[in-house]
Every structure is written in structure tokens, then in C-alpha cells.
């Protein structure tokens, strides 16, 4: 007999979005539910209509089978679908997972309504109990519920089968930029209710204390019984005593014998309002009573009193214009893919909170329900995004009526699930799906159901940022040039808030000009922030020996962003797939193990709640850059770094400042008259435990220079003669490779994908040929002039080596021809002997920084082992640089080594790798560190930008042709 669920072939029927699935609602049934997670019997079939055989393996639920040692491996594509079929077709080779387990329904559930909840399944779910068809669901990122009351018997055992079909018509609208998986990726639950139950609860809590609770009531047995009623309490106080209570009568056109509605109105005096800085929550319990007063059902909600509105071109929270310091976030884990535990989600948000983020866009689908609970608790503004992305076939699908039901279904179910979360301030209709009638239909449903929140959709906004006739209430462009955003805000034509849904693409060594963006945002009315792409590098932990993902057993095989020996972070193409988009999946602000990349410190500083505005004779002017909170939750320490090596510290007393206020505070100590250049840093920490940070956690470190550097004095010539070889290369006992000209860097992802590296290679900058033009000796000086020939141009390089007391001064000049109009760097590179393993420097740090990403690295005295200077971006590339270095030393354990003094603050890097070492490999397990150090001193270094997906760096951060001069002094310690 043909299975009726299989007979309708739902994997290729776009008109079938569900069958037998219960309506979505906002009643949380997780508390008290029976978990069905764990090991299930499992078979992976080649197609959904293939026969189940007698041999079973096991699979863990929740979890993707693509990460559980099956032959169906993860695959990464960005835009392209991983199969050739056009919508709505699915490929014939269609992996299908069959999950089975025994289902023991508790005997005391007799007479109750029994419901199965499958948290998420990719991409089509078929449900059977004892061979009987129960239902179908599509939508890989929202739960599906099925009423099992008629197919199970309490106290008896049944067999539950969940069949998951990987590819379907739905896959064409789930074409998000992340790994393709298959399986049941969120928890599976079984719960029971009384036949009389709360079908939905809608909570609306305003900042003035107004509270409205709408309840929908159903009865499983049919008609509603007489006499039922609803009560509620807030933080234990019964609302019904002081509240207006409505139960609509039978004549009301909003009710019927099968659906009852009740409403509670209340006003909470002096309600504590919710916002991302102070996420105040109340506990609301709603109870459904039978006529005799006994409780049939309850629903618990955490309520935040807050308003969201758009006034003109400003997005307001509780009447305040707030900056959106956001990040895009996928559900991701390097061992389990899209299956993420509560603890992991909390750790994600804790990291974001500590680095100054206040907003999340759930790219590009509704995230796990626990994430919204955590956002409510910890304080985040959430753009909740529907599970719609049809990137490869966007134009065809946007107006295709065959997909109309799917668009409305996915958007409406998201809203119904998440509508009671105060953290959710904006609904998003999806991502990169063009714009058409299907979007307008979904937007219309949202506006009718929830008029309390605005809607955004980039596909609509790109039709015109000020167009009033599109579905988006917010202009939310993607990677718009900053100058275009500023011009729009100044044009007089802006009608909507401008908040970029994606900007500053974090692929590899990236996020250049982030501080420039925020300087413009904070100073330009009409600009209100945006969302960095993205939080995670989506590297999957992989065994190098057999190329398989490690799966759930891999805990402890990575640390500080680095996979352990024998393992690596896999990206597109590493699982043998022919169609893939490479390392484009590694584009996050943190590594796959949640280790922050250096760019996180940049963001932390530009989002600092406390800023140093300026230095005056009467003291330091401090500013509170928060929207709602004072500074009483913070404390601080002053730190004065002097160029002569001294660092003075002392406690800081922060003034009482309301948001937006400034105040002058006296200098913490008398600045020594000597010591040269001086920098004052305010290290701000939490004064007491926060929900996301223990007391003493550093929040920011604003800094100001209070004394400029002395005019450097050139070292007096003295000492033994300089030695060079026949090619004019310096001979030195601590150097294994003499200082040479460098114009090349191992291309970053931005360099490669933005096309700059292609130009560099065409010019031959990666293989310059050196020829000595002249070599001139004097008593204590050697002058070498050489030409470095590329494919299309020649760079003339002059080095003047002068013996000075204790060392050698190197004066350099490079003439870069006009055809080399944008090079990576102009500077010197040399290599040292082994054993110099500790770098100490005065300059910006301690973490990596570059010319257009240096705001988060304060000037000071820093000490870091050489092996920790390199940043292990998933695809090896230029990294480890430090900006604004004045001097540095490389030391052995006995403190011997070399010291370098620079003529002015320069870009410096010290690592174990040559640029060609990094360029030649694709993963870090292929790198072999050199025993000595590779040292770069750059007169000029190109900015990073974000050109892998977005604008390149600004012209001011490019290295132009012309004459470049720099000098440095090398001494032996």
C-alpha cells in the first residue's frame, strides 16, 4: 500500500507547506515536556521513495547526519544551489534520513491531549506513528507540532518514525550563505495538555506601563465548555484584581464554539522599562480556568515594557534614538553545525555583549527559541528574520504564486512564535530574494497581526531608500559605500531610518575602516548603525587523515582559534565537493571556537560607553555614550604610558553622568616633565557582577595623547665599519636574511576576492628581481642602490647603512613608479636567528592592528611571545601586524637579542612565516614555522578594507606611487 505522505511527493510540491501540522503559537511548552533527544535508529536512503531495509545504524538527535560519520558530507555554497534543478524541482539523488524510536507515553497522560514537537528538520519532515501517517512540515528553522492524541495510547508503547528529506522545492527558498546539512537539528519533545488549553497568548507591554494580554482558547474535544475564564499575575501579583477582564461573548464575531478569546488589560505603575542596556523583565503567568475554578492550562512569559516606533527618519526605543551596533548571527557550532545548546548560545551573546554589540540580526532564519529568551535577559535588540532566501533564483521566485503560501507561512509562523519577546524590535521578510508580490503579501499579514513593530527587507529597500511604496519601513542596504549613506542622509530626501543590514564583511584579516564608519554614523543625523557580517567563522573541525568532520566527539581538539595537530578548520571544498565557494564561509568576527579576532577589540572601542572627548588644562573631559544608563555600573583605572618605558597607574573615579552628558575630571597624577611621548588610558571595568560579565571585566580602554613625541635625534656615527656582501646585503650576526625591499604581502581574503591581489601578481610584486645598481663604501657608511624589477615596472631602492654607537642606522628610500598605483606595502623585511622568541614594543597593541583598523589598539608598552603574534585566519594570509610601533626588541630567554628604534610610528610585523609561506598553502596544518623571526618594517602599509564582499578601504589608506622614506636603527642587546 502506498504511503499517503510519500504519494503526494511533498518534496516537489510548493503548494504543500504542511499537512496535519498544528498552528504556530507563542505558548512555550518546553517546561515539563518529555525530551525525545538522544540516540535514534537511523537509515540514510538515497531518495525519499526508496525502501527502508532491515539494517539500522544510530544517529543522535538533535544533530545533522552530515556531521555524524555518514557518506553525505557538509557542502558550502553561497549563492549557487548545490544541484542543477530549477525551482520547484529537487534532484533525484536526494538523501533521506529515516529516524525511529519507541515512544512510551506516560500512563498519567490518559485523557489529555498529546503533542509532538520537532524543533527543526531540513528540509521536509514526514511523521508516522506505528506506520500511520500523522503529518508533513516544511521550513527548516521553525518547530513543527503534531497532535498525536488519536494515534498513541497512554501507558502503551508506539513506534515513532520521522523521515527527513534533504532537498525539496523549499530548498530553493532556503538558499542561505552557510553549510548545507540534513537532519533533525533542534530538540524533539512530547508534551501533554488538558483538552481545554491555551492555543495562543499575545502580550503587549508599553513603556507607560500599559499591559494587554490576549488569549486564544480551544478544546481538543470540540466545542468549548461553558464557564471557562482566564486570570494572570505579574511577578506574583494577581492582575485580575486590578485589571479590566474581557471574555468575548458568543455573539462577538471574533469567537465561535471552537475558539474562545479573552483579554486582560492592566496598568503597572512606574513600570521598569526594558532596553538593551537595562533589560528589565517581569514574570507573567497566564492561567486558564475551568468553570469550577481549577486550572486547565498555564503559560509563562517574561515581559518587557517597551515601545518601538519610527518617527521621521529615526528608529526609537522608548522614545530614544538608539544606535544599532549589530552583528549577523547564524546558529552554528564547529562540531554540531546548526545544533546549538543553550550554554553555547549564552556564550555567544556574552561574548557579543562584552565587545560592545547591542543588536543581532538572525541571519537568515528564525534562530533557536532559547536565543530570544537570552536576548530578552541579557539585553539585545533583535531583527527577527524569516527563513526565506532564494538567492540563486531570486527574481523568478519573488512573484511566483506557487511560492506565495510558503512566503506567508514562514513569515507569519515566525511572528506568531516570537511576538512576545521584548528583544524583537523589527521583523525581517528574509534575505537576498529580490522583491515581489510574495513579499508584499507576507508584509501585509504582519502589519495586520502586529502593528507594534516595523518591517525591514533589503530587497525592497534597494528599490529606493526613501520609496514609501515598498514593504520596508527601514532603509537597510547591504554593503553600501559610506559616502552614499552620508550623502543620502544629507540630501533632504531621506524618509526612513538608514540601518545597514550588512556592512563591514569580516572575512579573514578584515573590517578595515570600521572606526571611520562609526565616526560618520555618530556625527550624521539619519544614520543609525548596522549589522556586521558576521559573528562566526563557520569552520567545521575536520580530521586531516580522512577528511571527515569530527562531529560531537571533538570537544577539546581546538583552543584559541587553532585546531589541534591532525585536525583543521574545514571550509568549502574540504569534504570533496566539486561545487563550493571555498573560504567565503569563514567571514566572522570570532573563530569557530568563539575566540575573538582582533577586529572585535576594534568594535569594543568604537562602541565604548565611556569616551575621552579631549584633554584640557583643567583636566580630561569624559562623556557617557549610552542611551539609557548612567556610569554607576562601571569603575576605572588610569594608566599613563611614557615613551621612556615607564607606566604609571592609579584609580579613576567616574563622574555621575546621564546619557549624553560630559564632565571634566582632573588629571589623575602629575605628568613627569621628562619621559617623552605620553598617552593616558582609562581602563573601564564592571564595578559589580553583570548577567554577562563578572566584576572586573574590561569594557573599554579609551585613550588620549597628552604629550607629543620629542623630535627624534639621529644617532651619531660611531663604531666599527658596516659589513655588506657582494650584493650589498647587510651582514649581521643576528640576521639570517638581510633587510630587503618588500612591496608584497600574503593576500588577505579582501585582496584576493576584491581583485587587488590579481593586479599585484600581474605587476610581479610577488617575484621582484633585485639588481644592484651601485655600491658605495665610506669609513662608517655603506650606500646601496638597487632596482627591483616587476613585470611592468621598476622600483628604485636606496639603502644607507651607517655605523652608530651600539648598532647600525638604516636610512631607506623607495621610488615606486606610477604604474604601481596601489601596492600592499613599502618597507623592509629581514629575518633573524633562532631563539629570539619574545617581542616587546612601544606602540599600539597588544593585539593585531592595521592602518585602517587601529582604533581598538591603545598605545602602550606591550610584551607578547612571538608565536602568539600571528593571527590564525582560516585561510593563511597577511596577519600579525602592529600599527604605530615606535620601537621594539626581540629577546632570547637570557634577555639578549636585538632592538630596533624607528624614525616615526610604523607598521611592524614579527612572525614565523614569510609572505610566500602563507601564500603557498590553504590551511594552517600545512604551514611549517621557521625557527627565526620574519620581521617587516613598513614605511606605508595598505589598509584592509572589506572588499571580499563590500567596499574596499578608503583612498587615504592606499599606498600611492612616488617617493617613500623611512629609517630605523638596529642594535644588539
Amino acid at each position: 500500500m502506498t504511503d499517503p505522505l510519500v504519494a503526494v511527493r511533498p518534496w516537489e510540491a510548493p503548494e504543500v507547506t504542511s499537512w496535519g501540522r498544528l498552528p504556530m503559537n507563542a505558548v512555550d511548552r518546553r517546561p515539563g515536556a518529555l525530551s525525545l533527544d538522544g540516540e535514534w535508529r537511523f537509515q540514510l536512503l538515497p531518495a525519499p521513495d526508496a525502501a527502508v531495509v532491515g539494517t539500522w545504524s544510530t544517529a543522535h538527535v538533535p544533530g545533522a547526519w552530515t556531521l555524524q560519520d555518514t557518506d553525505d558530507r557538509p557542502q558550502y555554497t553561497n549563492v549557487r544551489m548545490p544541484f542543477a534543478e530549477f525551482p520547484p524541482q529537487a534532484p533525484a539523488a536526494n538523501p533521506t534520513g529515516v529516524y525511529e524510536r519507541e515512544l512510551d507515553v506516560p500512563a498519567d497522560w490518559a485523557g489529555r491531549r498529546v503533542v509532538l514537537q520537532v524543533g527543526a528538520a531540513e528540509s521536509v519532515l514526514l511523521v508516522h506513528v506505528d506506520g500511520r501517517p500523522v503529518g508533513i512540515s516544511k521550513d527548516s528553522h521553525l518547530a513543527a507540532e503534531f497532535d498525536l492524541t488519536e494515534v498513541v495510547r497512554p501507558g502503551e508503547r508506539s513506534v515513532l518514525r520521522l523521515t527527513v528529506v534533504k532537498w525539496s522545492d523549499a530548498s530553493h527558498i532556503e538558499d542561505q550563505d552557510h553549510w548545507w546539512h540534513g537532519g533533525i537539528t533542534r530538540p524533539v519533545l512530547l508534551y501533554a495538555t488538558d483538552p481545554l488549553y491555551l492555543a495562543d497568548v499575545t502580550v503587549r507591554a508599553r513603556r507607560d506601563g500599559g499591559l494587554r494580554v490576549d488569549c486564544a482558547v480551544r478544546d481538543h474535544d470540540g466545542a468549548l465548555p461553558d464557564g471557562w475564564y482566564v486570570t494572570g499575575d505579574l511577578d506574583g501579583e494577581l492582575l485580575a484584581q486590578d485589571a479590566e477582564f474581557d471574555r468575548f461573548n458568543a455573539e462577538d464575531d471574533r469567537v465561535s464554539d471552537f475558539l474562545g478569546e479573552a483579554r486582560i488589560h492592566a496598568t503597572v505603575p512606574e513600570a521598569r522599562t526594558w532596553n538593551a542596556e537595562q533589560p528589565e523583565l517581569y514574570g507573567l503567568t497566564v492561567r486558564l480556568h475551568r468553570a469550577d475554578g481549577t486550572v486547565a492550562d498555564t503559560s509563562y512569559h517574561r515581559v518587557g515594557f517597551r515601545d518601538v516606533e519610527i518617527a521621521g527618519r529615526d528608529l526609537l526605543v522608548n522614545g530614544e534614538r538608539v544606535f544599532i551596533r549589530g552583528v549577523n548571527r547564524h546558529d552554528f557550532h564547529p562540531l554540531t553545525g546548526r545544533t546549538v545548546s543553550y550554554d553555547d548560545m549564552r556564550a555567544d551573546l556574552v561574548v557579543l555583549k562584552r565587545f560592545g554589540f547591542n543588536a543581532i540580526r538572525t541571519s537568515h532564519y528564525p534562530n533557536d527559541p532559547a536565543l530570544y529568551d537570552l536576548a530578552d535577559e541579557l539585553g539585545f535588540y533583535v531583527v527577527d528574520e524569516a527563513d526565506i532566501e532564494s538567492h540563486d533564483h531570486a527574481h523568478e521566485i519573488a512573484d511566483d504564486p506557487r511560492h506565495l503560501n510558503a512566503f506567508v507561512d514562514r513569515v507569519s509562523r515566525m511572528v506568531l512564535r516570537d511576538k512576545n519577546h521584548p528583544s524583537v524590535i523589527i521583523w525581517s521578510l528574509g534575505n537576498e530574494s529580490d522583491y515581489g508580490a510574495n513579499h508584499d503579501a507576507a508584509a501585509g499579514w504582519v502589519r495586520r497581526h502586529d502593528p507594534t513593530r516595523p518591517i525591514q527587507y533589503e530587497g525592497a529597500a534597494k528599490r529606493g531608500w526613501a520609496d514609501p511604496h515598498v514593504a520596508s519601513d527601514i532603509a537597510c542596504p547591504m554593503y553600501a559605500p559610506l559616502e552614499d549613506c552620508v550623502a543620502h542622509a544629507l540630501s533632504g530626501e531621506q524618509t526612513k531610518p538608514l540601518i545597514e543590514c550588512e556592512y563591514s564583511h569580516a572575512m579573514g584579516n578584515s573590517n578595515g575602516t570600521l572606526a571611520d564608519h562609526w565616526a560618520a554614523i555618530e556625527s550624521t543625523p539619519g544614520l543609525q548603525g548596522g549589522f556586521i557580517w558576521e559573528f562566526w567563522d563557520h569552520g567545521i573541525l575536520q580530521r586531516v587523515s580522512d577528511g571527515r568532520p569530527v562531529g560531537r566527539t571533538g570537544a577539546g581538539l581546538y583552543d584559541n582559534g587553532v585546531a589541534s595537530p591532525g585536525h583543521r578548520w574545514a571550509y568549502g571544498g574540504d569534504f570533496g565537493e566539486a561545487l563550493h565557494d571555498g573560504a567565503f564561509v569563514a567571514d566572522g568576527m570570532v573563530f569557530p571556537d568563539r575566540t575573538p579576532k582582533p577586529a572585535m577589540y576594534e568594535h569594543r572601542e568604537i562602541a565604548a560607553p565611556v569616551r575621552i572627548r579631549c584633554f584640557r588644562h583643567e583636566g580630561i573631559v569624559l562623556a557617557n555614550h549610552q542611551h539609557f544608563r548612567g556610569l554607576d555600573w562601571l569603575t576605572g583605572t588610569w594608566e599613563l604610558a611614557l615613551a621612556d618605558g615607564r607606566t604609571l597607574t592609579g584609580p579613576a573615579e567616574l563622574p555621575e553622568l546621564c546619557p549624553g552628558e560630559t564632565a571634566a575630571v582632573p588629571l589623575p597624577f602629575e605628568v613627569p616633565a621628562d619621559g617623552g611621548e605620553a598617552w593616558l588610558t582609562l581602563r573601564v571595568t564592571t564595578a559589580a557582577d553583570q548577567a554577562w560579565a563578572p566584576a572586573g571585566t574590561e569594557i573599554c580602554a579609551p585613550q588620549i595623547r597628552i604629550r607629543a613625541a620629542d623630535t627624534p635625534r639621529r644617532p651619531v656615527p660611531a663604531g666599527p665599519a658596516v659589513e655588506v656582501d657582494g650584493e650589498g646585503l647587510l651582514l649581521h650576526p643576528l640576521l639570517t636574511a638581510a633587510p630587503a625591499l618588500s612591496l608584497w604581502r600574503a593576500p588577505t581574503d579582501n585582496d584576493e576576492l576584491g581583485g587587488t591581489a590579481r593586479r599585484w601578481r600581474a605587476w610581479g610584486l610577488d617575484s621582484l628581481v633585485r639588481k644592484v645598481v651601485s655600491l658605495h663604501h665610506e669609513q662608517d657608511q655603506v650606500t646601496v642602490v638597487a632596482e627591483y624589477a616587476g613585470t611592468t615596472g621598476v622600483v628604485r631602492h636606496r639603502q644607507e647603512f651607517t655605523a652608530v654607537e651600539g648598532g647600525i642606522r638604516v636610512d631607506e628610500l623607495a621610488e615606486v613608479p606610477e604604474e604601481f598605483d596601489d601596492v600592499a606595502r613599502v618597507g623592509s623585511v629581514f629575518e633573524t636567528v633562532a631563539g629570539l622568541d619574545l617581542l616587546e614594543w612601544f606602540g599600539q597593541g597588544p593585539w593585531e592592528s592595521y592602518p585602517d583598523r587601529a582604533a581598538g589598539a591603545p598605545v602602550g608598552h606591550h610584551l607578547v611571545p612571538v608565536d602568539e603574534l600571528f593571527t590564525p585566519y582560516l585561510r593563511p594570509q597577511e596577519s600579525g601586524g602592529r600599527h604605530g610601533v615606535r620601537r621594539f626588541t626581540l629577546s632570547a630567554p637570557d634577555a639578549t637579542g636585538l632592538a630596533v628604534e624607528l624614525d616615526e610610528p610604523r607598521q611592524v610585523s614579527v612572525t614565523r612565516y614569510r609572505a610566500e609561506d602563507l601564500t603557498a598553502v590553504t590551511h594552517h596544518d600545512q604551514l611549517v614555522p621557521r625557527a627565526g623571526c620574519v620581521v617587516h618594517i613598513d614605511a606605508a602599509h595598505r589598509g584592509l578594507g572589506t572588499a571580499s564582499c563590500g567596499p574596499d578601504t578608503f583612498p587615504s589608506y592606499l599606498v600611492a606611487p612616488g617617493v617613500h622614506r623611512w629609517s630605523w636603527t638596529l642594535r644588539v642587546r
Side-chain angles (χ1 to χ4, degrees), residues 30 62-64 66-67 76 119-122 139-143 176-181 184-187 327-349 352 360-375 382-387 417-418 533-540 585 587 590-592 594:
R30 289 172 293 174
T66 41
L67 294 174
Y76 167 64
E122 302 181 27
D139 191 344
S140 295
H141 302 286
L142 281 174
Q176 288 101 355
D177 175 15
H178 61 164
W179 293 99
W180 292 97
H181 288 294
I184 299 170
T185 54
R186 291 183 189 159
V327 71
N328 289 275
R329 178 193 173 277
H330 280 287
D331 279 342
F332 171 77
H333 190 278
L335 301 179
T336 56
R338 275 191 278 283
T339 299
V340 188
S341 71
Y342 175 89
D343 289 342
D344 283 324
M345 281 182 276
R346 194 179 197 285
D348 293 352
L349 299 197
L352 287 171
I360 296 167
R361 176 177 174 231
T362 66
S363 53
H364 298 292
Y365 45 81
N367 283 187
D368 188 288
L371 180 104
Y372 302 82
D373 297 336
L374 288 162
V382 175
V383 173
D384 204 3
E385 191 149 274
D387 187 13
R417 188 194 73 168
D418 298 335
W533 185 268
E534 62 160 306
F535 179 54
W536 286 102
D537 271 356
H538 291 205
I540 294 175
V585 77
D587 47 11
V590 301
F591 289 103
R594 209 180 290 109

Side-chain angles (χ1 to χ4, degrees), residues 95-214:
T96 301
V98 181
Y99 298 81
E100 268 195 6
R101 61 160 288 163
E102 277 68 42
L103 189 63
D104 295 309
V105 180
D108 59 2
W109 286 10
R112 294 173 65 78
R113 170 176 166 264
V114 180
V115 178
L116 171 72
Q117 182 187 98
V118 181
E122 302 181 27
S123 66
V124 177
L125 172 68
L126 313 179
V127 180
H128 295 80
V129 174
D130 291 333
R132 297 172 61 183
V134 173
I136 296 170
S137 179
K138 297 178 187 177
D139 191 344
S140 295
H141 302 286
L142 281 174
E145 292 192 340
F146 303 90
D147 192 331
L148 303 189
T149 310
E150 306 304 323
V151 295
V152 296
R153 293 182 180 274
E156 297 183 8
R157 172 168 289 185
S158 300
V159 175
L160 173 63
R161 173 178 288 186
L162 304 180
T163 303
V164 179
V165 184
K166 184 175 182 179
W167 306 123
S168 69
D169 59 271
S171 301
H172 292 284
I173 55 173
E174 294 179 355
D175 184 19
Q176 288 101 355
D177 175 15
H178 61 164
W179 293 99
W180 292 97
H181 288 294
I184 299 170
T185 54
R186 291 183 189 159
V188 180
L189 307 173
L190 194 70
Y191 68 85
T193 72
D194 191 271
L196 181 68
Y197 64 96
L198 290 164
D200 198 7
V201 174
T202 302
V203 181
R204 291 178 181 170
R206 303 191 308 269
R207 78 174 189 269
D208 63 3
L211 177 66
R212 170 177 152 180
V213 184
D214 290 288

Side-chain angles (χ1 to χ4, degrees), residues 459-651:
K462 72 182 180 183
R463 297 290 179 95
W465 292 354
D467 190 338
H469 304 297
V470 297
S472 187
D473 301 316
I474 294 170
C476 48
M478 186 179 289
Y479 307 110
L482 180 60
E483 59 269 25
D484 290 358
C485 296
V486 172
H488 178 67
L490 299 178
S491 68
E493 299 176 358
Q494 184 180 5
T495 60
K496 304 175 182 181
L498 198 157
I499 303 170
E500 290 194 77
C501 68
E502 294 178 23
Y503 80 108
S504 193
H505 192 253
M507 185 177 181
N509 193 358
S510 188
N511 301 105
T513 73
L514 193 59
D516 304 81
H517 270 75
W518 274 96
I521 290 167
E522 292 187 355
S523 62
T524 308
L527 305 186
Q528 215 166 332
F531 296 83
I532 291 173
W533 185 268
E534 62 160 306
F535 179 54
W536 286 102
D537 271 356
H538 291 205
I540 294 175
L541 191 64
Q542 181 187 47
R543 295 189 295 261
V544 177
S545 58
D546 59 8
R548 288 180 175 268
V550 170
R552 297 174 59 247
T553 61
L557 294 179
Y558 48 84
D559 183 49
N560 292 324
V562 180
S564 65
H567 301 82
R568 67 181 180 186
W569 298 122
Y571 50 75
D574 286 340
F575 295 109
E577 66 272 38
L579 180 63
H580 64 85
D581 286 311
F584 205 70
V585 77
D587 47 11
M589 295 288 281
V590 301
F591 289 103
D593 65 350
R594 209 180 290 109
T595 297
K597 292 183 180 178
M600 287 285 275
Y601 294 92
E602 184 86 348
H603 186 274
R604 189 186 75 170
E605 220 50 53
I606 61 181
V610 185
R611 315 278 180 89
I612 298 177
R613 283 283 180 87
C614 59
F615 166 55
R616 300 172 182 162
H617 290 296
E618 64 269 25
I620 304 296
V621 177
L622 297 182
N624 179 355
H625 274 249
Q626 300 171 104
H627 299 294
F628 299 100
R629 202 173 189 184
L631 302 184
D632 55 314
W633 65 287
L634 299 169
T635 188
T637 302
W638 291 110
E639 186 177 282
L640 180 67
L642 300 169
D644 66 3
R646 288 177 289 171
T647 299
L648 308 178
T649 60

Side-chain angles (χ1 to χ4, degrees), residues 735 828 830 832 836 838-843 862 866 869 882 884-891 897-902 904 906-910 933-938 968-971 973:
L735 304 187
S828 311
F830 60 85
T832 74
L836 305 183
L838 189 65
L839 180 72
E840 183 177 3
W841 76 97
F842 180 57
H862 307 290
V866 170
L869 294 167
R882 266 66 181 175
V885 176
R886 281 81 166 156
R887 67 169 184 267
F888 65 90
T889 61
L890 272 167
S891 304
L898 59 83
V900 174
E901 295 177 6
L902 304 171
E904 62 181 77
R906 300 292 188 183
Q907 182 79 19
V908 170
S909 71
V910 180
C933 300
V934 179
V935 181
H936 280 272
I937 299 171
D938 293 328
W968 47 286
T969 302
L970 173 66
R971 289 188 171 92
R973 293 186 62 183

